[in-house]
Amino acid sequence: MKVFVTGATGFIGSAVVAELLQNGHSVLGLTRSEAGAQKLRAAGAEVHHGSLEDLASLKAGAAAADGVIHLAFIHTFPGVFLAPSKDKKAISALGEALAGTNKPLVVAGAIHAFRSGVLLTEDYTPNYAKVPRKSEEAVLSFGSRGVRASVVRLPPTVHGDGDKGFVSWLVKSAKKRGQAVYVGDGKQRWAAVHRFDAARLFRFIVENPEAHGVYHGVGDEGVPFGEIAEFIGRDQGVPTASKSRWGAIRALGFLGFLASIDSPASSQRTQNTLGWKPEHPTLLEDFAAGVYKTPKP
Protein backbone atom coordinates (compact mmCIF):
# COMPACT_ATOMS: atom_id res chain seq x y z
CA MET A 1 0.00 0.00 0.00
CA LYS A 2 0.97 3.60 -0.48
CA VAL A 3 0.03 5.46 2.70
CA PHE A 4 -0.23 9.23 3.03
CA VAL A 5 0.96 10.20 6.53
CA THR A 6 0.47 13.62 8.09
CA GLY A 7 2.68 14.48 11.05
CA ALA A 8 5.17 12.12 9.40
CA THR A 9 8.28 13.70 10.95
CA GLY A 10 6.96 13.89 14.52
CA PHE A 11 7.64 11.63 17.51
CA ILE A 12 4.80 9.23 16.69
CA GLY A 13 4.77 9.90 12.96
CA SER A 14 8.41 8.99 12.40
CA ALA A 15 7.78 5.66 14.16
CA VAL A 16 4.70 5.06 11.98
CA VAL A 17 6.68 5.83 8.81
CA ALA A 18 9.41 3.39 9.82
CA GLU A 19 6.85 0.72 10.74
CA LEU A 20 5.12 1.00 7.36
CA LEU A 21 8.34 0.99 5.35
CA GLN A 22 9.74 -1.98 7.27
CA ASN A 23 6.62 -3.97 6.43
CA GLY A 24 6.61 -3.48 2.69
CA HIS A 25 4.50 -0.35 2.29
CA SER A 26 5.46 2.93 0.66
CA VAL A 27 4.91 6.26 2.41
CA LEU A 28 4.00 9.71 1.16
CA GLY A 29 4.83 12.04 4.04
CA LEU A 30 3.41 15.52 4.53
CA THR A 31 5.89 18.25 5.43
CA ARG A 32 5.98 22.02 5.28
CA SER A 33 9.75 22.44 5.52
CA GLU A 34 12.86 21.38 3.65
CA ALA A 35 14.29 20.00 6.89
CA GLY A 36 11.24 17.75 7.16
CA ALA A 37 11.61 16.75 3.52
CA GLN A 38 15.22 15.74 4.09
CA LYS A 39 14.20 13.67 7.11
CA LEU A 40 11.52 11.86 5.10
CA ARG A 41 13.87 11.14 2.19
CA ALA A 42 16.48 9.79 4.59
CA ALA A 43 13.87 7.43 6.03
CA GLY A 44 12.95 6.20 2.55
CA ALA A 45 9.62 7.99 2.17
CA GLU A 46 8.31 10.22 -0.61
CA VAL A 47 7.75 13.90 0.16
CA HIS A 48 4.49 15.80 -0.16
CA HIS A 49 4.79 19.52 0.60
CA GLY A 50 1.88 21.15 2.37
CA SER A 51 0.35 21.83 5.79
CA LEU A 52 -2.78 21.27 7.86
CA GLU A 53 -4.09 24.64 6.73
CA ASP A 54 -3.47 23.90 3.03
CA LEU A 55 -6.58 21.82 2.39
CA ALA A 56 -5.81 21.43 -1.32
CA SER A 57 -2.47 19.81 -0.48
CA LEU A 58 -4.20 17.43 1.93
CA LYS A 59 -6.75 16.39 -0.68
CA ALA A 60 -4.02 15.84 -3.27
CA GLY A 61 -1.98 13.70 -0.88
CA ALA A 62 -4.96 11.58 0.08
CA ALA A 63 -6.04 11.13 -3.55
CA ALA A 64 -2.55 9.89 -4.47
CA ALA A 65 -2.56 7.16 -1.80
CA ASP A 66 -4.24 3.86 -0.93
CA GLY A 67 -4.93 5.06 2.58
CA VAL A 68 -4.29 7.89 5.04
CA ILE A 69 -2.93 8.05 8.58
CA HIS A 70 -3.54 11.49 10.09
CA LEU A 71 -1.26 12.34 13.01
CA ALA A 72 -0.51 16.04 12.55
CA PHE A 73 -1.75 18.50 15.15
CA ILE A 74 -0.82 22.04 16.16
CA HIS A 75 0.87 21.92 19.59
CA THR A 76 2.50 25.34 19.73
CA PHE A 77 1.06 28.49 21.29
CA PRO A 78 -1.07 30.36 20.41
CA GLY A 79 -2.09 28.08 17.53
CA VAL A 80 -3.07 25.25 19.87
CA PHE A 81 -6.26 27.12 20.82
CA LEU A 82 -7.48 26.98 17.22
CA ALA A 83 -6.13 23.47 16.63
CA PRO A 84 -9.37 21.48 17.12
CA SER A 85 -11.32 23.45 14.51
CA LYS A 86 -8.39 23.41 12.09
CA ASP A 87 -7.98 19.68 12.63
CA LYS A 88 -11.66 19.10 11.87
CA LYS A 89 -11.27 20.96 8.58
CA ALA A 90 -8.17 18.94 7.74
CA ILE A 91 -9.93 15.64 8.46
CA SER A 92 -12.91 16.74 6.38
CA ALA A 93 -10.59 17.51 3.46
CA LEU A 94 -8.94 14.09 3.73
CA GLY A 95 -12.30 12.37 4.03
CA GLU A 96 -13.73 14.18 1.02
CA ALA A 97 -10.78 13.00 -1.09
CA LEU A 98 -11.41 9.38 -0.02
CA ALA A 99 -15.24 9.39 -0.13
CA GLY A 100 -16.66 6.43 -2.04
CA THR A 101 -13.33 4.58 -2.30
CA ASN A 102 -13.53 2.39 0.84
CA LYS A 103 -9.92 3.36 1.51
CA PRO A 104 -8.81 3.69 5.13
CA LEU A 105 -8.63 7.01 6.95
CA VAL A 106 -7.06 6.46 10.37
CA VAL A 107 -6.94 9.46 12.72
CA ALA A 108 -5.20 9.92 16.07
CA GLY A 109 -7.59 10.87 18.85
CA ALA A 110 -7.32 11.23 22.62
CA ILE A 111 -8.35 9.22 25.67
CA HIS A 112 -7.66 11.49 28.62
CA ALA A 113 -10.58 13.20 30.38
CA PHE A 114 -13.30 11.32 28.50
CA ARG A 115 -14.76 9.70 31.65
CA SER A 116 -13.06 10.59 34.91
CA GLY A 117 -12.75 7.71 37.36
CA VAL A 118 -14.17 5.07 35.00
CA LEU A 119 -12.19 2.61 32.86
CA LEU A 120 -12.70 3.85 29.30
CA THR A 121 -13.39 1.17 26.69
CA GLU A 122 -13.71 1.31 22.93
CA ASP A 123 -17.47 0.82 23.23
CA TYR A 124 -17.96 4.21 24.85
CA THR A 125 -19.45 6.79 22.50
CA PRO A 126 -19.78 10.23 24.06
CA ASN A 127 -22.34 12.87 23.39
CA TYR A 128 -20.06 14.97 21.20
CA ALA A 129 -22.05 18.11 21.95
CA LYS A 130 -21.18 17.75 25.64
CA VAL A 131 -17.75 16.11 25.31
CA PRO A 132 -16.28 17.75 22.22
CA ARG A 133 -13.84 15.57 20.33
CA LYS A 134 -13.82 17.26 16.96
CA SER A 135 -11.28 14.93 15.33
CA GLU A 136 -13.06 11.78 16.46
CA GLU A 137 -16.47 13.04 15.46
CA ALA A 138 -15.17 14.26 12.11
CA VAL A 139 -13.50 11.04 11.01
CA LEU A 140 -16.29 8.73 12.14
CA SER A 141 -18.81 10.77 10.17
CA PHE A 142 -17.15 9.49 6.97
CA GLY A 143 -17.97 5.89 7.84
CA SER A 144 -21.29 6.26 6.06
CA ARG A 145 -19.68 7.89 3.03
CA GLY A 146 -17.63 5.05 1.64
CA VAL A 147 -14.53 5.60 3.78
CA ARG A 148 -13.07 2.96 6.08
CA ALA A 149 -12.91 5.44 8.94
CA SER A 150 -11.11 4.72 12.21
CA VAL A 151 -9.93 6.67 15.22
CA VAL A 152 -7.10 5.54 17.49
CA ARG A 153 -7.60 7.03 20.92
CA LEU A 154 -4.13 7.62 22.34
CA PRO A 155 -3.18 8.23 25.98
CA PRO A 156 -1.65 11.50 27.18
CA THR A 157 1.64 9.62 27.49
CA VAL A 158 2.99 8.12 24.28
CA HIS A 159 6.45 7.40 25.58
CA GLY A 160 9.89 6.29 24.48
CA ASP A 161 13.33 7.66 23.73
CA GLY A 162 13.09 11.10 22.12
CA ASP A 163 9.75 11.97 23.73
CA LYS A 164 9.15 15.73 23.89
CA GLY A 165 5.55 15.48 25.08
CA PHE A 166 3.80 15.71 28.44
CA VAL A 167 6.20 13.56 30.45
CA SER A 168 9.19 15.42 29.06
CA TRP A 169 7.49 18.70 30.02
CA LEU A 170 6.92 17.37 33.55
CA VAL A 171 10.60 16.47 33.80
CA LYS A 172 11.64 19.95 32.69
CA SER A 173 9.23 21.54 35.16
CA ALA A 174 10.59 19.45 38.05
CA LYS A 175 14.15 20.35 37.16
CA LYS A 176 13.27 24.05 36.94
CA ARG A 177 11.10 24.27 40.06
CA GLY A 178 13.05 21.86 42.25
CA GLN A 179 10.08 19.59 42.94
CA ALA A 180 8.02 16.95 41.13
CA VAL A 181 4.37 17.87 41.57
CA TYR A 182 1.36 15.59 41.87
CA VAL A 183 -2.24 16.21 42.94
CA GLY A 184 -3.71 15.11 46.26
CA ASP A 185 -2.85 11.48 47.02
CA GLY A 186 -1.41 10.96 43.54
CA LYS A 187 -3.74 8.08 42.70
CA GLN A 188 -5.07 9.66 39.51
CA ARG A 189 -4.36 7.15 36.72
CA TRP A 190 -2.80 7.97 33.36
CA ALA A 191 -2.97 5.47 30.51
CA ALA A 192 0.22 5.12 28.48
CA VAL A 193 1.64 3.39 25.40
CA HIS A 194 5.09 3.04 23.87
CA ARG A 195 5.38 4.86 20.54
CA PHE A 196 6.54 1.71 18.72
CA ASP A 197 3.46 -0.16 19.92
CA ALA A 198 1.28 2.75 18.79
CA ALA A 199 2.98 2.73 15.39
CA ARG A 200 2.29 -0.97 14.95
CA LEU A 201 -1.37 -0.43 15.80
CA PHE A 202 -1.74 2.22 13.10
CA ARG A 203 -0.24 -0.21 10.59
CA PHE A 204 -2.55 -3.05 11.66
CA ILE A 205 -5.61 -0.85 11.14
CA VAL A 206 -4.61 0.51 7.74
CA GLU A 207 -3.78 -3.02 6.53
CA ASN A 208 -6.96 -4.70 7.78
CA PRO A 209 -9.82 -4.42 5.25
CA GLU A 210 -12.37 -4.99 8.03
CA ALA A 211 -10.97 -2.44 10.47
CA HIS A 212 -13.13 0.60 11.19
CA GLY A 213 -14.49 2.51 14.16
CA VAL A 214 -12.86 3.20 17.53
CA TYR A 215 -9.62 1.62 18.75
CA HIS A 216 -7.50 2.21 21.84
CA GLY A 217 -3.72 2.45 21.64
CA VAL A 218 -3.16 1.59 25.30
CA GLY A 219 -0.33 -0.36 26.90
CA ASP A 220 -0.64 0.70 30.56
CA GLU A 221 -4.29 0.97 31.59
CA GLY A 222 -3.48 3.41 34.36
CA VAL A 223 -0.21 4.49 35.94
CA PRO A 224 -0.80 6.42 39.20
CA PHE A 225 0.40 9.97 38.66
CA GLY A 226 2.11 9.95 42.05
CA GLU A 227 4.36 7.13 40.82
CA ILE A 228 5.26 9.16 37.74
CA ALA A 229 6.18 12.07 40.04
CA GLU A 230 8.29 9.76 42.22
CA PHE A 231 10.31 8.56 39.23
CA ILE A 232 10.76 12.12 37.98
CA GLY A 233 11.84 13.29 41.43
CA ARG A 234 14.33 10.45 41.76
CA ASP A 235 15.80 11.05 38.29
CA GLN A 236 16.12 14.81 38.81
CA GLY A 237 17.24 14.62 42.44
CA VAL A 238 14.31 16.70 43.71
CA PRO A 239 11.53 15.99 46.23
CA THR A 240 7.95 15.23 45.29
CA ALA A 241 5.25 17.65 46.37
CA SER A 242 1.51 17.09 46.76
CA LYS A 243 -0.61 20.02 45.62
CA SER A 244 -4.27 20.85 45.48
CA ARG A 245 -5.76 20.87 42.00
CA TRP A 246 -5.37 24.65 41.77
CA GLY A 247 -1.91 24.46 43.26
CA ALA A 248 -0.92 21.97 40.55
CA ILE A 249 -2.38 24.23 37.88
CA ARG A 250 -0.39 27.16 39.25
CA ALA A 251 2.76 25.03 39.21
CA LEU A 252 2.26 23.14 35.95
CA GLY A 253 -0.28 25.15 33.97
CA PHE A 254 -2.56 23.02 31.77
CA LEU A 255 -0.60 19.92 32.76
CA GLY A 256 -1.71 20.50 36.34
CA PHE A 257 -5.32 20.18 35.20
CA LEU A 258 -4.53 16.95 33.33
CA ALA A 259 -2.68 15.61 36.37
CA SER A 260 -5.83 16.01 38.48
CA ILE A 261 -7.93 13.71 36.27
CA ASP A 262 -8.26 9.97 36.92
CA SER A 263 -8.54 8.58 33.39
CA PRO A 264 -7.75 4.85 33.04
CA ALA A 265 -8.43 3.11 29.73
CA SER A 266 -8.49 -0.41 28.31
CA SER A 267 -7.40 -1.71 24.91
CA GLN A 268 -8.79 -5.22 25.39
CA ARG A 269 -11.28 -5.05 22.52
CA THR A 270 -8.62 -3.59 20.23
CA GLN A 271 -6.27 -6.42 21.14
CA ASN A 272 -8.93 -9.08 20.65
CA THR A 273 -10.14 -7.67 17.34
CA LEU A 274 -6.83 -6.91 15.65
CA GLY A 275 -4.42 -9.31 17.32
CA TRP A 276 -2.37 -6.31 18.44
CA LYS A 277 -0.61 -6.52 21.79
CA PRO A 278 1.82 -4.07 23.42
CA GLU A 279 5.33 -5.53 23.28
CA HIS A 280 7.62 -2.65 24.19
CA PRO A 281 8.55 -1.28 27.65
CA THR A 282 5.89 0.20 29.91
CA LEU A 283 6.14 3.82 31.03
CA LEU A 284 7.67 2.91 34.39
CA GLU A 285 10.10 0.53 32.67
CA ASP A 286 11.21 3.43 30.47
CA PHE A 287 11.73 5.51 33.61
CA ALA A 288 13.70 2.69 35.23
CA ALA A 289 15.87 2.45 32.11
CA GLY A 290 16.71 6.16 32.35
CA VAL A 291 14.85 7.27 29.23
CA TYR A 292 13.60 10.42 30.98
CA LYS A 293 16.58 11.16 33.20
CA THR A 294 17.83 13.90 30.89
CA PRO A 295 15.15 16.41 29.76
CA LYS A 296 14.78 16.56 25.99
CA PRO A 297 15.68 19.93 24.40
Side-chain angles (χ1 to χ4, degrees), residues 37-282:
Q38 292 177 5
K39 186 175 181 180
L40 287 169
R41 293 189 191 102
E46 297 178 49
V47 175
H48 183 79
H49 288 281
S51 70
L52 282 188
E53 296 171 321
D54 184 350
L55 302 185
S57 74
L58 295 179
K59 290 180 179 179
D66 301 309
V68 176
I69 295 177
H70 175 55
L71 304 168
F73 195 77
I74 299 169
H75 295 284
T76 55
F77 291 97
V80 68
F81 296 109
L82 299 175
S85 61
K86 289 185 177 181
D87 195 41
K88 182 178 180 179
K89 290 178 182 178
I91 293 168
S92 296
L94 295 168
E96 292 288 349
L98 298 179
T101 67
N102 201 39
K103 293 178 180 179
L105 171 58
V106 190
V107 172
I111 278 172
H112 208 62
F114 248 128
R115 300 181 75 189
S116 182
V118 179
L119 185 71
L120 185 71
T121 68
E122 299 90 336
D123 298 319
Y124 177 69
T125 302
N127 180 337
Y128 290 114
K130 294 182 178 180
V131 185
R133 284 290 195 277
K134 292 182 183 295
S135 59
E136 180 167 317
E137 183 180 17
V139 66
L140 295 179
S141 70
F142 281 96
S144 61
R145 298 184 57 190
V147 177
R148 187 156 59 79
S150 302
V151 61
V152 178
R153 292 174 179 164
L154 291 173
T157 304
V158 180
H159 58 91
D161 193 29
D163 179 12
K164 297 180 182 178
F166 288 156
V167 172
S168 182
W169 296 357
L170 290 167
V171 171
K172 290 178 183 177
S173 174
K175 187 177 181 68
K176 179 180 178 180
R177 293 179 175 277
Q179 58 181 203
V181 171
Y182 62 93
V183 180
D185 60 10
K187 292 183 179 180
Q188 302 86 354
R189 292 162 292 178
W190 273 31
V193 69
H194 196 283
R195 73 171 181 139
F196 292 152
D197 286 322
R200 199 169 80 260
L201 176 56
F202 279 99
R203 175 174 67 83
F204 276 26
I205 295 171
V206 84
E207 287 177 342
N208 189 330
E210 304 300 322
H212 67 280
V214 175
Y215 297 95
H216 281 188
V218 172
D220 294 308
E221 288 191 353
V223 183
F225 195 87
E227 292 188 28
I228 297 173
E230 286 175 7
F231 269 96
I232 292 174
R234 181 206 65 188
D235 283 351
Q236 300 307 311
V238 299
T240 57
S242 173
K243 303 281 187 180
S244 67
R245 184 179 190 182
W246 289 111
I249 291 172
R250 284 193 294 270
L252 301 174
F254 181 63
L255 274 179
F257 167 71
L258 295 181
S260 71
I261 300 172
D262 181 38
S263 193
S266 167
S267 63
Q268 196 59 58
R269 196 191 76 178
T270 296
Q271 295 186 42
N272 292 342
T273 301
L274 298 176
W276 170 83
K277 291 189 181 300
E279 298 175 350
H280 289 85
T282 66

